[in-house]
Amino acid sequence: MSGPLPQPAEPGAASPVDPFAPIDRTGGYLGATGAAAVVAASRATPARWRLLLRKPTFLIGAGVVLFWVVCAVFGHAIAPYNPLAQQLLAANAAPSSAHWFGTDPLGRDVLSRVIVGARDILIITPLATILGTVLGTALGLAMGYLGGWFDTAVSRIIEAILALPFVIIAFLFVVAVGPSVGSITVIIGLVFTPLIARTVRAAVLVERHQDYVSASRLLGESPARVMFGEILPNIMPAVEVEFTVRLAYAVFAVATLSFLGFGIPPPTPDWGADISANYSGLLAGYWWQTLYPALALASLVVAVALIGDSIEQVLSS
């Protein structure tokens, strides 16, 4: 059936918005639908940020994280004592005006070790999470879009990996390559990759049958262009939420490895290692040696979780 060809809408003319309509990137006429989609996309991010900044949970979480970032960057300047300096005559001293958080069995100032101990954990966790998110997103996009034997084979491998607890997998890798900031960062990032890939794959399976994906194929765009140029922007909310969730898990993973003795080598200040070294002192009444590193770790994990929950609420609203 034939009919008149559609004509470009007049400037300012109202037109229904089709969110899945393809946008011409060749410099041609976008049409009212494409223009409206561009305007809506340009306004979405600032609106989300405004909603996010109104959430008390986000502000509290961001404030706590910012505090620990400042400690990580300026820790040695803020710390009242050298965190490595041993004063055996002041060993196991209770909190006082001289040592606000007390001292450990070697006479080292607990407050100084808590402050400086934020450095390595705030270096490892974001880098590991970024690495895992990038690799997991790329793998999940390929699995969901390409499908077929590739999706089946990779899915079986991921299921086999996820059958083991996360900490056990990281532990095995650390034992194989040795503990250091670089190795722990790469190991946690690689362990996060299949977890993130599974989430991204589920989001891609929803998007791959949408009209804008079919239109991109008809235009002859390559699979890489469709995956990263078309589908990825539409699943970014899922990726962002997954990043914040894994960031909290990364903090816990680094502390767990340190607690088990496979984290940052001593005597470098480390929250997990200090908890492991001093928790036996609880029976002798030296509670401060374990309590303050544990509170520091818990505050960071909870703060990141608050940020993640706030982002998820805003993106889903």
Side-chain angles (χ1 to χ4, degrees), residues 246-263:
R246 296 305 158 196
L247 187 60
Y249 276 103
V251 175
F252 182 75
V254 173
T256 301
L257 290 174
S258 298
F259 182 84
L260 295 174
F262 293 93

Side-chain angles (χ1 to χ4, degrees), residues 16 28 31 33 39 78 81 90 97 126 137 147 211 258 270 298:
T33 298
V39 172
I78 298 173
Y81 297 93
S97 58
T137 300
D211 292 342
S258 298
D270 184 271

Side-chain angles (χ1 to χ4, degrees), residues 153-233:
V154 177
S155 295
R156 299 294 83 79
I157 295 174
I158 289 178
E159 290 174 2
I161 294 174
L162 298 182
L164 293 174
F166 165 81
V167 175
I168 298 299
I169 300 174
F171 171 77
L172 294 175
F173 277 111
V174 171
V175 171
V177 302
S180 67
V181 173
S183 64
I184 294 175
T185 299
V186 173
I187 288 167
I188 294 178
L190 292 178
V191 172
F192 280 169
T193 297
L195 296 168
I196 298 172
R198 184 174 60 177
T199 301
V200 173
R201 172 185 176 272
V204 173
L205 290 178
V206 175
E207 296 293 325
R208 64 179 294 184
H209 300 296
Q210 300 293 347
D211 292 342
Y212 73 93
V213 176
S214 301
S216 299
R217 290 172 177 168
L218 291 175
L219 290 174
E221 293 186 358
S222 65
R225 172 70 178 178
V226 175
M227 287 188 290
F228 293 98
E230 303 289 347
I231 298 178
L232 180 58

Side-chain angles (χ1 to χ4, degrees), residues 136-161:
T137 300
L139 183 59
L141 281 168
M143 293 169 61
Y145 181 74
L146 299 178
W149 66 266
F150 178 80
D151 182 31
T152 302
V154 177
S155 295
R156 299 294 83 79
I157 295 174
I158 289 178
E159 290 174 2
I161 294 174

